[in-house]
Amino acid sequence: MQPRVYVNALSGLLRECYARPHHRCSSLVRTYATVPDHQLNAQIVEEVAILGGGITGLASAFYISEAFKDVPVTLYEAHSRLGGWLRSTSVDVGNGKVVFEQGPRTLRPSVPNGLVTLDLLDRLGLQEDVLMTSKESVAARNRFIYYPDHLVRMPGPGSSMLGVLSSMLSEPVFQGLLYGALTEVFRPRPENLDDESVGAFISRKLGSAVADNMVSAVLHGIYAGDIYQLSAKSILGKAYKTEEQYASVMLGNVMEATRDDSLVPLLDLHMMRYLKPFMVASNGKPVPGTEILAKVRASSVYTFKRGIGQLAESLESALRKSPNVTILMDTPVESLEMVAHGNTSKVQIKPNKAKRSDAEPSTRRYSHVVSTISGKTLSSITKPLNCLSPLAVTPSVTVMVVNLYYSNPELLPIHGFGYLLPRSLPFDQNPERALGVVFDSDATIGQDEIPGTKLTVMFGGHWWNGWDKYPDEEEGACMAKAILARHLNIIEEPQAVRVALQKECIPQYTVGHAARMRDASSRLLDNFHGRLRVAGNSYSGVGLNDCVRAAKELTMRLEVDSKATGLEDLVAGGETWTRREKGTREWGYR
């Protein structure tokens, strides 16, 4: 039975890498449920500015404009397009068109973050444009790590116990795994250790080989980051919490498995209760118009017919139709500060002079400002200087994305979602410093007008830290073709190639991230008194679902809580959890 306990524990640990960081506190719980609205010290919302037109900014503008229909909402975007890192391109390859994704490509219908996004899709009328990838599909069942010179299927759906055990005993990528799992209970956390790197945590619990061969590959696919820099407390929140409670992750998982109830983050519970009207009617059946929920129950991931960028396009379309929303393109903000305004204070914004017409005022004042730009950029424009300096510490990595299309639909030697490359891979197998390869023609079926093989190769991330010059498009295409030839024996020339360099696109939650965000929250309150709030991938989750949920939570707090900053989830320095009976279908979704 020990291998089964281990596999379940490992699967849970890897799932932690995909989950929203579990920094929870009671502030949002107070807003959601426990204190009547009239008892909260709410500020009057008169006009709102939103900085940044990426997915968080668009979702924030949408939610706020609907919650405050008589309040003017102004969105400032520094560039000529909205959507941020959501970039879907339709490319004509001769006999038809294919969709290339240069940013996020799929969404997970996770609980509850994924359901917040599904609620948004329902409100935007995108149900008919959703493309689901079934849990029974080859993409859902087959996910690989390349090590040391071949693809190795990871344990997951459809794996037999005998097959998993055989792989663990024979494949070098699993070196030290069984021994580490069986002896992990004897390696408790050192006293007074508040945070450590993911690499240090996994090495301490399971061994350095597991960290280098497996976990580094998983985090290459999510953060493009270095496991010896990323924070275990911020990224592996539940595992870190379990070790704190039981002194052992494995023992904690076994103990939890014997209980009739399970630990649930309290904020997740309240978010699910908020979503209940969207999910299930009083008779227990899906609410009319929300049939999308029935689809996602059988799905591992989903996307849209025109790509993930269709979500940003739909939000932009809805905002442009809204009478209380103004969108200012090519309008970066030069500075913002608190100023006196009659008997109260407001946040004064100064748009960049070079982007402002002579007829426009040099400054504008708002009762509330929501910043969805990077923490580093926000820190550089706020006054007084350095008042939000903890936000400047969060670094970001640069990723090059290369999309390739081949007319031959039988090109892949093996099928699945794709594969990731660990930090321990021999240099001669990855001199280009690739992070992973996605088999798009398997992972997102139904987007393209013609059959073929569609692949995406990703490079860089932490491997390129400190670089001041990056490969150009021609070099990027050559690097991608070299990786595919070496690993998959694909030597055909592609019919179409697109190369995109995404500079500083993924924030890195390095060791001490939670403590820095608590400091930043305090500084936001001291300097802006709840009138400047933050949301986005610099703070509490880099995924698209995380960003949409952050926008929703911020809007809910804006209505009732004058002391909110957007960083409430991280303020307490620990998680607030509750227990829920296992197997309950309280929300019609499990």
Side-chain angles (χ1 to χ4, degrees), residues 167-180:
S167 293
M168 286 185 178
L169 295 174
S170 62
E171 288 289 354
V173 72
F174 296 114
Q175 177 187 345
L177 196 53
L178 285 174
Y179 175 80

Side-chain angles (χ1 to χ4, degrees), residues 569-582:
D569 288 9
L570 299 101
V571 168
E575 299 87 346
T576 300
W577 300 77
T578 188
R579 288 196 171 272
R580 172 174 175 261
E581 184 180 351
K582 290 180 180 177

